[in-house]
Structures are given as C-alpha cells and as structure tokens.
Amino acid sequence: MRSRSDRLLRLVRRPRVPAVIAALTLLVTLVAPGLAGAQEPAPGNNYTIATDITFAPFEFQDESGKLVGIDMDLLAAIAEDQGFTYQVNAVGFDAALQAVTGGQANGMIAGMSITDARKATFDFSDPYFESGVQMGVLESNDSVTSYEDLRGKSVAVKNGTEGATYAESIKDQYGFTTKYFADSSSMFDEVRTGNSAAVFEDYPVLAYGIKQGNGFKTVTDKVPGASYGFAVAKGQNAQLLQEFNTGLANLKASGQYDEILDTYLNSDASDDDNSILGLIKSTYPLLLEGLWLTIVLTVVSIAIALVLGAIFGLFRVSTNIVLRGIGTTYVDVFRGTPLLVQAFFIYFGIPAALDFQMSAFTAGIITLSLNAGAYMAEIVRGGILSVDKGQMEASRSLGISYLKSMQKVVMPQAVRTMIPSYINQFVITLKDTSILSVIGLAELTQTGRIIIARNFQSFNMWLIIGVMYFIIIMALTKLSNRLEKRINK
C-alpha cells in the first residue's frame, strides 16, 4: 500500500505547464491592441460624436443596422459640407453627456435641448430644430384626456428631455408624480404595463412613434419648448462648433435641411411584418451580432478573471499580511460596489481624471474582468481552504517549500472543488454583459433596445431575446456539466 508521502512526492515531481503565466501572456496580447488604439487622440478634423440611439426620428438604427435619423443625416451633410470626418459613439443620452464632459467625445448631437443649466457645462451651436412637448396615452385609454385627469397618477418621462422639464413644472398644479427612464422605449413600456398613465415626450418623437404603430395617441396640444442644439464641452472644440454652425447655415440656404426633415417627419407609416417570425426574419443579423459581442465579452472577461482570481485568491490565503491585505481590499472593493457604478467609473471617470480616451469595448472588458475576478478570488480561497490542512503539513514535513506544496499538492485538489462555482460565475458574467449597454456596447440586450426604439414591438422583441439568452446559457451549462463530470472521474 502506498503511503501519503509517496503520493505527495509523485504529485510534486509531475511536470506541469505554468498555466497562469501562459494565460497572462495570451490575454495581454488580446487586450493590449485595443487599449493602445483607444488611447490614440482624434487627429486634426476627425471627431468623435456621441449620440443617443433610441430617439427616433432623430437617431435610430434602420433594418440594416445603419444609424439614421434627422440628427444623423444633418451631421453627415454638415461633415460633407465642411470637409471633416467623424465616428459616432452611440451610447444613450445620459452616457453621451458624460462622454462629452469626460473627454471621450468631441461633441454630442442627440435631440439635446438648449437650456440655461446646460449652458454652464456645454457650448451650443445655433439651434437646428424648434421642439415642443405633447402628452400621449394609450389608444385604449379614454379616461385621460387632459392634465386634470392625471391627479393621483404617475407620468413617465425621459431623462434630460423637454418633456421631463415640462412635466416637473406642472406636476404640483395637477397632482401627479413623475417616473424617469433612460430611453424612450422604456418610457412607453411603462405606460403599456399600466404603471403610468401617460408620457410627456418631445412632439416629433411622439408623432413618429404613433405613425409607426406604437399604440399611443396624443390628447393635448403641443406646448412650445426649447430648441435643439449640437453641443461640445465648455471652452473646448470651438473649431468643431464653428464648422457645425457654418454647415447648418449652408444646408438651410440650399434647401437640404428641409429635405432631411421631410424625410422623417412626413414619412409613411411602417408596413413591416411585426409578428414574431417576421421580427426574427428582419432582425436576425443584428441579433446575431449582439449575441456574438455578448459571447466575446464573456469569454475574454472570464479568461482574465480566472487569472486575477488565482492571483488574488492566493493572496487571500497567504501567510504574508501585506499580500493578504491587498487581496482582501481588491475583493471588498469590487464585491462591495455595483457593477453599473464600476462601468461608469472605468469608462468615464478614469479617462476624465487621467486625460486619455478608452474605447467602450476595452472599458467593458476591464469592468467585467475586475468584477468577476473578485468573485473568482473568493472561489479560489474557498477551494484552497476546503483541502485538509494535513495535506500541506505532510508536504512541508517532506521538506517541500510552501509555494511548491501549494502548486503541486493543494491546488490540484482545490480546483476540482472550484469547478462548479467557476461554471456558475461564467453564467453570471454572461448575463452581466447586459449592464454594459449603459456605455454603448451593442451586446444582445442593447441590440434589442435599439430594435425596439425603431419598431416599438417590445413584447415580441424581449421574448425573442429572452429565448436567445435561455438557449445559450442552457447550452453552456450542459456543456460545462459534462466537462465537470469528465474532470471529476
């Protein structure tokens, strides 16, 4: 019968690949080009323009995935007129504001109202559209026909819009409350579910949605609102602002400005097939692109998190108080703060503080990796502590060093304990990718929001996306379970 010492010596002598070093080298190779490219400043007259992506008819994606709308067409025409180039960073209205103030974008066009409060932070172009506000309710709602009927009810509004400002100005007079949403589609869904009685929306947006069959109707006259303007950060990008103003004046003089507005404000109603099969047929290329980005984000982030988890997990069980303190701090910080806050801090906060630019993809990878790495570290710590202390003591009694004993004796046994938790963390990270939509990554959830902003078919689209998530997660779970069984044989 073989002794425990014999088994330990055999384990120590077994050659193994330095997996951690190899993984680190591979991951740095994958991520480094993205970091280097993201940090390159926009040269000369090549600009990065931030925008919303769910604000039809001003900006939305058409069936082919191309960004279109009044704002997008105006920007393209002005760029051609003035001879500058640009790339659009579609991140949502709130994130676009932060992208400009944080230096991630040179300018912003997103149906943004010119207000005195915003003038303190932004410099605006000449107004390019005169807006106004209307109240909308469901077509089937005959009980709300005026502001007086809103008493005791809730009203859905979108962050930073004229509709929100107007609703706030009259809510005390008419006795209703307001609920804020990040995009128009969520605001309309709030009313569809019956949680709010009406929406206050900029009239072109509301009119466009009604024409596309979103199931709403207007019940009040248009209230004049503020004008829309192109914005840059206060005191910056004066040349871009001047080029926009000059180009806008040229478009108005040539009549091209009116043609662009007519294209969207006087467009015909959509005759698209909005059944589930029709939506799958018309949107599957975009959905597959979103799904692919979701998988890439998950796989790369989990790979990096495995390395971080191994390093900081070993720190957590180290006998060195400094290393143990570093490991504990890392885990506490990233487990003790919301993933959403981490995404905003990494994408907007750090580049603004250190004066450099970072792509949304790089920020997303860093955010998910650091967050998942903290949980991986706890999985590693738990796995190591699950191994009987006698294993380490026996190894050390044979004269084997601490690190060698950990590498050859403890870790191989601990990894078998960790595998189920690793699989669970993989699934959690895949679902967490949806949070990265706040920084403009068009993963699967964000792709769904973009499509809904165009066709207003929220129930069918969320059903399709939910089924896609279910299929991919179940497939991965079954595959991982089979792998777990093979390893534990």
PDB file of all heavy atoms in Angstrom, residues 48 139 148 164 249 404 434:
ATOM      1  N   THR A  48     -14.967  62.541 -32.748  1.00  0.00           N
ATOM      2  CA  THR A  48     -15.846  61.522 -32.167  1.00  0.00           C
ATOM      3  C   THR A  48     -17.097  62.226 -31.655  1.00  0.00           C
ATOM      4  O   THR A  48     -17.008  63.148 -30.839  1.00  0.00           O
ATOM      5  CB  THR A  48     -15.151  60.791 -31.002  1.00  0.00           C
ATOM      6  OG1 THR A  48     -13.986  60.135 -31.496  1.00  0.00           O
ATOM      7  CG2 THR A  48     -16.084  59.759 -30.386  1.00  0.00           C
ATOM      8  N   GLU A 139     -53.910  54.211 -26.856  1.00  0.00           N
ATOM      9  CA  GLU A 139     -55.096  54.406 -27.694  1.00  0.00           C
ATOM     10  C   GLU A 139     -56.368  53.949 -26.993  1.00  0.00           C
ATOM     11  O   GLU A 139     -57.454  54.503 -27.190  1.00  0.00           O
ATOM     12  CB  GLU A 139     -54.932  53.615 -29.000  1.00  0.00           C
ATOM     13  CG  GLU A 139     -53.993  54.245 -30.005  1.00  0.00           C
ATOM     14  CD  GLU A 139     -53.880  53.409 -31.253  1.00  0.00           C
ATOM     15  OE1 GLU A 139     -54.000  52.160 -31.169  1.00  0.00           O
ATOM     16  OE2 GLU A 139     -53.665  54.000 -32.326  1.00  0.00           O
ATOM     17  N   GLU A 148     -55.810  67.564 -16.123  1.00  0.00           N
ATOM     18  CA  GLU A 148     -56.621  67.428 -14.896  1.00  0.00           C
ATOM     19  C   GLU A 148     -56.879  65.952 -14.572  1.00  0.00           C
ATOM     20  O   GLU A 148     -57.058  65.589 -13.406  1.00  0.00           O
ATOM     21  CB  GLU A 148     -57.958  68.156 -15.056  1.00  0.00           C
ATOM     22  CG  GLU A 148     -57.874  69.677 -14.974  1.00  0.00           C
ATOM     23  CD  GLU A 148     -57.386  70.303 -16.287  1.00  0.00           C
ATOM     24  OE1 GLU A 148     -57.199  69.556 -17.268  1.00  0.00           O
ATOM     25  OE2 GLU A 148     -57.194  71.533 -16.309  1.00  0.00           O
ATOM     26  N   ALA A 164     -39.637  65.995 -19.755  1.00  0.00           N
ATOM     27  CA  ALA A 164     -39.392  65.876 -18.317  1.00  0.00           C
ATOM     28  C   ALA A 164     -39.442  67.241 -17.640  1.00  0.00           C
ATOM     29  O   ALA A 164     -40.034  67.402 -16.560  1.00  0.00           O
ATOM     30  CB  ALA A 164     -38.038  65.215 -18.078  1.00  0.00           C
ATOM     31  N   ALA A 249     -25.939  76.489 -41.644  1.00  0.00           N
ATOM     32  CA  ALA A 249     -26.416  77.648 -42.414  1.00  0.00           C
ATOM     33  C   ALA A 249     -26.423  77.335 -43.909  1.00  0.00           C
ATOM     34  O   ALA A 249     -27.361  77.708 -44.633  1.00  0.00           O
ATOM     35  CB  ALA A 249     -25.527  78.856 -42.118  1.00  0.00           C
ATOM     36  N   LYS A 404       5.750  25.402  -3.590  1.00  0.00           N
ATOM     37  CA  LYS A 404       5.721  24.134  -4.313  1.00  0.00           C
ATOM     38  C   LYS A 404       4.607  23.240  -3.786  1.00  0.00           C
ATOM     39  O   LYS A 404       3.912  22.555  -4.560  1.00  0.00           O
ATOM     40  CB  LYS A 404       7.078  23.437  -4.142  1.00  0.00           C
ATOM     41  CG  LYS A 404       7.428  22.470  -5.254  1.00  0.00           C
ATOM     42  CD  LYS A 404       7.798  23.221  -6.516  1.00  0.00           C
ATOM     43  CE  LYS A 404       8.343  22.283  -7.582  1.00  0.00           C
ATOM     44  NZ  LYS A 404       8.647  22.993  -8.824  1.00  0.00           N
ATOM     45  N   SER A 434     -25.143  42.503 -20.069  1.00  0.00           N
ATOM     46  CA  SER A 434     -26.255  43.391 -20.430  1.00  0.00           C
ATOM     47  C   SER A 434     -26.117  44.759 -19.764  1.00  0.00           C
ATOM     48  O   SER A 434     -26.602  45.762 -20.301  1.00  0.00           O
ATOM     49  CB  SER A 434     -27.592  42.757 -20.042  1.00  0.00           C
ATOM     50  OG  SER A 434     -27.669  42.560 -18.647  1.00  0.00           O
TER      51      SER A 434
END
